[in-house]
Amino acid sequence: MISETATSSLLKGYRPTPGAYDEMVHSSGSPRESWVGLIQALDRMGPEELDARQESVNRIIQENGVTYNIYGDTQGSGRPWELGLMPLVIPINEWRSIEAGLIQRTRLLNLILSDFYGPQRLLREAGLPRALLAANPNFLRPCFGIRPPEDLFVIMHAVDLARAPDGRWWVLSDRTQTPSGAGYALENRIVLSQVLPDEFREGHVERLAGFFRILRDTLQRLAPAARSQPKVVLLTPGPYNETYFEHVYLARYLGFPLVERDDLTVRDRRVFLKTLEGLQDVDVILRRVDDTYCDPLELRADSILGVPGLLESARAGNVAIANALGSGAVQTPAITAFLPSLAQWLLGEELLLPSVATWWCGQEAQLAYVRDHLRELVIKPAFTWTGAEPVFGGRLKARERRALYASIEKNPFAFVAQEEVALSTVPVLASQQLAPRPMVLRAFVCAGPSGCTVLPGGLTRVSTATDRLVVSMQSGGTSKDTWILADGPVNPLSLLKAAGGIVRLERAAADVPSRVADNLYWLGRYAERLEDTVRRLRCLTVRLVGEASGDNTPDLEALIRVLIRLDLIPSEFEDSLSGVEGVIHRLIFRKDHPGSIADIASRLGSLAFTMRDRLSSDTWRILNRLQSDLRPRSSRMAPGAALALLNTLILDLAAFAGMETENMTRGHGWRFLEIGRRLERATNGATLLQAGLAVEALGFSALDPILEMADSTITYRRRYFAQPQWLSVLDLVLSDDTNPRSLSFQLGALGQHAVNLPSTSPEGTQVQESLQIETLHNAVRAFNLEAALEAEFEHEDTQLSDQLAGWASDLRGLSDALARHYFTHADTRVS
């Protein structure tokens, strides 16, 4: 047993909650044996080091972009995930009994679903009330008779567990439709094993990777057709879903494409992925879209998340869906009351993990019991989750209880009552002290043809207060890693194939869904647009803080007129600079100001968020830093501080461009990112020169600012050692194939990318010829700048300005052509 002195500092003042089981200490206050090693290690760290480790957890979570969307929260999808430093510790011998109960429960629920959508003997012979299905909106009648592969309706099963005051584990609920949390559990493990590496290793904590390897292999084996490499995709509702981060994380970890509804289509009762090369067969869908939203054709007509015809494809046996459509029928707490008898009837076994005592109000005897014991019970919806929290009868006044029972009596089928459970508590760090908080453990089971596998750990969720018995991340709870302590060293596992095996080499570009290519294209455009806006504002700001600050120098006057013609600043500043600092502040920080840095950065961040599975961790850290640097300021910045910030943003964007250039595989996704960047840069260059010529016609020379905004000042000075002249500036910024900022350079790069794109669009149209990039490039290189410039200035001929406007229009047309060719799928051609 651990000595008193060894734990005096850490456990000082720790008071277990009366009437609740404490996971860390006995009722006497002495630590449980499985916690001793961890407590000693943390105690040696001291309060300051513990705070530093928690800060490390928070920093890693922030850098990794781990988020959880609390609906209605002002932070929205950007709200960081909450992870506590201290894990939940469970010894292996105790976990084995939990594991057996979880496996039994998964087997049982699969058998129940097989009967519900098949012979329905449970209704005729096992005494299950028919109203239990008739009143259940999650029992999908269109799914009746559809048999999933191996009769496995539930592949991924999540079970919420709580411990009673006597130490026994109870099941609070089952998640069989789209169970979430496994990805967060894995992220928690990765983070905590970095922050507490010695404690993790010395504790012999069971690894999680083996579970996910089995999950991946199981999903691949579900493929209806015998394929050597079946196509498995993860279907997400999209970036506004509360657990979107997890969808991205699991897709990347398992190696499956992350898709949304618009990425899939059903043709001839087969599901296809829309890619740049055409339509690719999809064999298995791991879905995170709720049952009824999966097919607007047969299930829910107002769904914008589902794929029309998906159910018919499953009915034809052409696609496997995990979990099977209709599996939400057993997620209801109403069925909980019948599980003990169903376990006897279907398995001939006692239920190893009992559920919390439950009464479905759809039966007269149970309704009467609820009426007489309402003060002692918790009332919940029987079938649907509306977002409303459970109602604790003991916390209501007599009048409120009568009103509640009247509501139940009007529609008894819609309610269940459950025994109020005192949740066990776990320690959390608060103000350098430990305090107990109620917790719920979500465990995960993978069911496959060869049996069930349990994740050796889980997602521990912790309540925000001692007296709050509803544990939910949506209500602001925090999470913990869950450590299952083995008796000895554990074998490290990985999702990578074992060394020495035969590996088929792959160098072809992976399939890129058209939506992803579209998003990458616009990611490139927004990144370049953001950099261009930053450079233009920096060009202005540096003149406001320089030696001639406060004076209307010729450069500044010309620049102001250029920026007005570029629609960056209002025309009122053509005559006076009064208030321009306020405009600069708005153009940096105001998201509601169209075209501001904050507005473009927000669009860039939103696009990046939709493609998290396509971006490396380092790239995501750079984008996080960019957003952090742009955090709103409550007061107006001085021009000097604004200039420092703009310089920092240039560095952030350079880091992002560097990751794009040096680290991205040269596949189609990278090409569309590059095409977006090159098109935006070319268009911006043409419009900048247009504005400069217009200002020159008014008698103001903006050549120095133009070179600065085009990032070509050093090159010009090195070549000419003279004041800028229009002809040499135009040659450098417009026609010079060696200048990476010139229009000609962008067109050359676009031509090279176009050659390497699929030669035909998904609709079968020849692409390169219709894009006419080479024609445009030749026109730019052959254009007689000297003659056009002379005509522009001496004869007031606008041929040069008109030509720049025409090229900008051609570039916009090129963008439209790319969208038509690659980002839509109009016909039924299958590759």
Side-chain angles (χ1 to χ4, degrees):
M1 182 60 65
I2 190 170
S3 67
E4 179 65 25
T5 57
T7 61
S8 57
S9 62
L10 190 61
L11 295 184
K12 182 180 179 181
Y14 185 77
R15 299 289 181 268
T17 304
Y21 183 95
D22 192 273
E23 298 289 339
M24 183 177 68
V25 300
H26 295 283
S27 56
S28 64
S30 60
R32 301 186 187 277
E33 183 178 357
S34 56
W35 285 78
V36 169
L38 178 63
I39 292 173
Q40 289 177 329
L42 298 183
D43 189 72
R44 287 192 295 269
M45 292 181 188
E48 289 77 16
E49 179 61 21
L50 288 177
D51 282 350
R53 299 286 180 109
Q54 181 63 63
E55 282 300 314
S56 294
V57 169
N58 299 340
R59 176 181 53 79
I60 295 172
I61 291 289
Q62 183 73 33
E63 288 180 350
N64 291 353
V66 188
T67 57
Y68 181 84
N69 182 14
I70 294 183
Y71 298 130
D73 189 277
T74 55
Q75 290 181 277
S77 59
R79 183 183 188 275
W81 178 254
E82 299 283 347
L83 172 60
L85 178 66
M86 293 193 69
L88 169 67
V89 176
I90 302 175
I92 190 67
N93 58 334
E94 182 180 357
W95 182 253
R96 293 302 179 216
S97 62
I98 297 173
E99 189 176 53
L102 292 170
I103 290 173
Q104 181 201 51
R105 199 172 187 91
T106 303
R107 291 171 51 222
L108 176 61
L109 294 181
N110 265 309
L111 289 173
I112 293 172
L113 284 168
S114 182
D115 182 78
F116 279 0
Y117 291 100
Q120 296 191 342
R121 292 178 58 206
L122 297 178
L123 303 181
R124 298 193 306 272
E125 304 172 23
L128 202 65
R130 289 187 176 275
L132 194 66
L133 281 189
N136 186 352
N138 296 311
F139 174 68
L140 304 184
R141 288 161 181 79
C143 295
F144 186 83
I146 300 178
R147 314 308 298 178
E150 306 291 337
D151 237 20
L152 291 173
F153 285 79
V154 177
I155 301 296
M156 188 72 164
H157 178 203
V159 184
D160 287 335
L161 300 171
R163 199 197 291 262
D166 62 1
R168 290 187 299 165
W169 287 95
W170 294 78
V171 174
L172 296 179
S173 62
D174 294 280
R175 295 289 182 267
T176 58
Q177 205 176 159
T178 57
S180 63
Y184 286 108
L186 179 59
E187 174 67 13
N188 285 356
R189 170 60 53 82
I190 291 173
V191 172
L192 214 61
S193 62
Q194 293 177 24
V195 177
L196 298 174
D198 296 334
E199 293 74 19
F200 178 80
R201 183 179 58 257
E202 293 167 6
H204 304 308
V205 181
E206 291 280 359
R207 305 307 204 257
L208 305 183
F211 174 85
F212 291 97
R213 182 180 62 190
I214 291 171
L215 173 62
R216 184 190 62 187
D217 294 344
T218 298
L219 291 169
Q220 290 176 330
R221 285 200 296 267
L222 294 178
R227 295 178 186 269
S228 58
Q229 289 187 315
K231 172 72 75 177
V232 183
V233 300
L234 194 156
L235 176 63
T236 173
Y240 297 107
N241 185 263
E242 59 186 352
T243 58
Y244 181 71
F245 166 82
E246 180 182 55
H247 306 171
V248 174
Y249 192 78
L250 284 177
R252 179 183 292 171
Y253 192 76
L254 297 172
F256 301 150
L258 183 70
V259 301
E260 298 179 28
R261 63 154 293 172
D262 291 336
D263 296 325
L264 302 178
T265 185
V266 176
R267 311 280 172 88
D268 299 325
R269 302 201 298 176
R270 294 160 58 197
V271 180
F272 297 98
L273 174 65
K274 303 174 185 176
T275 74
L276 296 176
E277 291 82 6
L279 303 181
Q280 307 286 335
D281 276 288
V282 172
D283 302 295
V284 182
I285 298 174
L286 174 60
R287 66 179 176 94
R288 298 304 296 268
V289 177
D290 286 349
D291 279 338
T292 55
Y293 288 91
C294 281
D295 187 345
L297 196 62
E298 293 196 61
L299 298 176
R300 182 164 175 161
D302 63 344
S303 171
I304 59 172
L305 304 176
V307 182
L310 182 61
L311 187 57
E312 178 59 25
S313 182
R315 188 179 289 119
N318 292 329
V319 67
I321 303 172
N323 291 340
L325 296 178
S327 56
V330 294
Q331 187 166 294
T332 164
I335 202 170
T336 302
F338 303 94
L339 289 182
S341 61
L342 293 177
Q344 285 282 5
W345 203 86
L346 289 169
L347 299 174
E349 301 169 0
E350 295 289 336
L351 203 59
L352 297 178
L353 273 177
S355 302
V356 173
T358 304
W359 294 265
W360 178 47
C361 298
Q363 295 177 292
E364 290 186 10
Q366 282 75 9
L367 180 61
Y369 181 89
V370 171
R371 178 193 62 212
D372 297 338
H373 299 82
L374 190 55
R375 184 190 297 269
E376 308 154 20
L377 301 174
V378 182
I379 305 302
K380 300 179 179 179
F383 301 113
T384 58
W385 172 248
T386 60
E389 292 191 349
V391 179
F392 292 80
R395 301 184 182 183
L396 301 178
K397 297 178 181 179
R399 173 176 51 82
E400 293 171 328
R401 280 196 295 275
R402 288 194 295 271
L404 175 61
Y405 182 74
S407 298
I408 296 173
E409 203 171 26
K410 287 180 181 178
N411 188 16
F413 300 102
F415 294 93
V416 296
Q418 291 185 327
E419 178 185 7
E420 185 172 338
V421 177
L423 302 177
S424 65
T425 58
V426 288
V428 298
L429 275 171
S431 302
Q432 297 188 343
Q433 292 291 324
L434 294 181
R437 293 288 184 270
M439 73 96 186
V440 170
L441 169 61
R442 176 165 290 187
F444 300 93
V445 186
C446 172
S450 57
C452 297
T453 304
V454 178
L455 180 74
L459 178 64
T460 299
R461 294 169 294 161
V462 183
S463 180
T464 54
T466 305
D467 59 348
R468 184 175 178 82
L469 298 182
V470 178
V471 181
S472 165
M473 302 308 291
Q474 276 292 322
S475 61
T478 61
S479 70
K480 286 181 174 291
D481 190 13
T482 307
W483 287 9
I484 309 302
L485 305 188
D487 296 328
V490 296
N491 292 324
L493 294 171
S494 171
L495 282 187
L496 299 177
K497 295 179 180 179
I502 297 176
V503 179
R504 187 167 69 90
L505 298 179
E506 296 279 0
R507 286 190 180 174
D511 296 332
V512 179
S514 300
R515 176 188 57 86
V516 172
D518 191 1
N519 286 342
L520 284 166
Y521 168 75
W522 281 103
L523 188 70
R525 293 204 66 163
Y526 281 129
E528 183 63 28
R529 188 173 301 176
L530 181 58
E531 181 182 341
D532 186 67
T533 304
V534 172
R535 288 187 181 279
R536 290 174 179 181
L537 274 181
R538 187 175 69 168
C539 190
L540 172 61
T541 307
V542 77
R543 283 162 174 77
L544 294 176
V545 299
E547 291 184 67
S549 59
D551 299 331
N552 282 8
T553 64
D555 253 12
L556 183 56
E557 290 183 350
L559 173 60
I560 288 291
R561 285 164 172 77
V562 168
L563 296 181
I564 289 172
R565 279 154 183 79
L566 292 173
D567 293 325
L568 191 62
I569 63 175
S571 59
E572 63 195 65
F573 292 104
E574 191 166 291
D575 300 318
S576 171
L577 291 180
S578 176
V580 73
E581 292 176 11
V583 172
I584 292 174
H585 185 86
R586 289 198 300 274
L587 283 170
I588 294 175
F589 294 111
R590 289 283 296 272
K591 284 186 180 180
D592 59 349
H593 190 109
S596 70
I597 290 174
D599 171 47
I600 302 170
S602 176
R603 295 170 186 269
L604 179 71
S606 297
L607 268 176
F609 193 70
T610 66
M611 296 181 295
R612 289 226 32 192
D613 60 318
R614 301 274 168 172
L615 302 178
S616 70
S617 298
D618 288 335
T619 302
W620 189 252
R621 290 188 185 97
I622 292 169
L623 292 172
N624 269 340
R625 189 176 67 186
L626 175 67
Q627 300 295 338
S628 177
D629 289 337
L630 272 173
R631 62 190 182 279
R633 269 67 163 183
S634 57
S635 59
R636 184 178 299 178
M637 295 181 73
L643 179 59
L645 174 61
L646 293 169
N647 286 330
T648 298
L649 295 179
I650 289 290
L651 293 179
D652 291 340
L653 290 165
F656 177 71
M659 292 298 296
E660 169 191 333
T661 302
E662 297 297 331
N663 293 70
M664 283 190 72
T665 304
R666 271 35 179 177
H668 292 325
W670 170 78
R671 293 195 184 283
F672 274 99
L673 180 63
E674 270 284 291
I675 286 172
R677 183 182 289 278
R678 299 301 173 186
L679 263 176
E680 186 71 23
R681 185 175 293 181
T683 307
N684 291 341
T687 54
L688 176 61
L689 291 172
Q690 273 185 269
L693 286 170
V695 169
E696 184 76 28
L698 299 175
F700 297 91
S701 178
L703 289 176
D704 275 320
I706 285 173
L707 285 171
E708 188 174 328
M709 289 184 283
D711 196 21
S712 299
T713 300
I714 298 301
T715 304
Y716 188 91
R717 288 177 180 172
R718 190 177 67 249
R719 288 186 182 179
Y720 296 103
F721 299 100
Q723 290 296 318
Q725 302 294 322
W726 263 107
L727 182 60
S728 50
V729 168
L730 284 170
D731 179 70
L732 177 62
V733 180
L734 193 64
S735 307
D736 189 346
D737 284 334
T738 67
N739 180 13
R741 294 280 170 174
S742 75
L743 174 60
S744 184
F745 185 95
Q746 312 317 313
L747 290 171
L750 287 169
Q752 292 175 5
H753 289 313
V755 168
N756 287 284
L757 289 176
S759 59
T760 58
S761 73
E763 285 67 50
T765 309
Q766 291 295 321
V767 175
Q768 279 77 20
E769 294 80 354
S770 60
L771 294 182
Q772 297 183 334
I773 298 173
E774 187 175 356
T775 301
L776 180 56
H777 191 193
N778 289 336
V780 171
R781 287 187 291 190
F783 189 73
N784 190 333
L785 287 175
E786 189 170 1
L789 195 61
E790 181 181 353
E792 185 96 16
F793 292 153
E794 296 185 10
H795 306 294
E796 297 184 356
D797 186 335
T798 59
Q799 176 189 359
L800 179 56
S801 297
D802 293 343
Q803 186 61 74
L804 288 169
W807 287 336
S809 177
D810 290 341
L811 289 166
R812 287 187 284 270
L814 174 58
S815 178
D816 294 339
L818 284 168
R820 286 194 304 271
H821 284 305
Y822 291 113
F823 305 151
T824 59
H825 288 252
D827 74 356
T828 59
R829 188 182 68 85
V830 178
S831 66

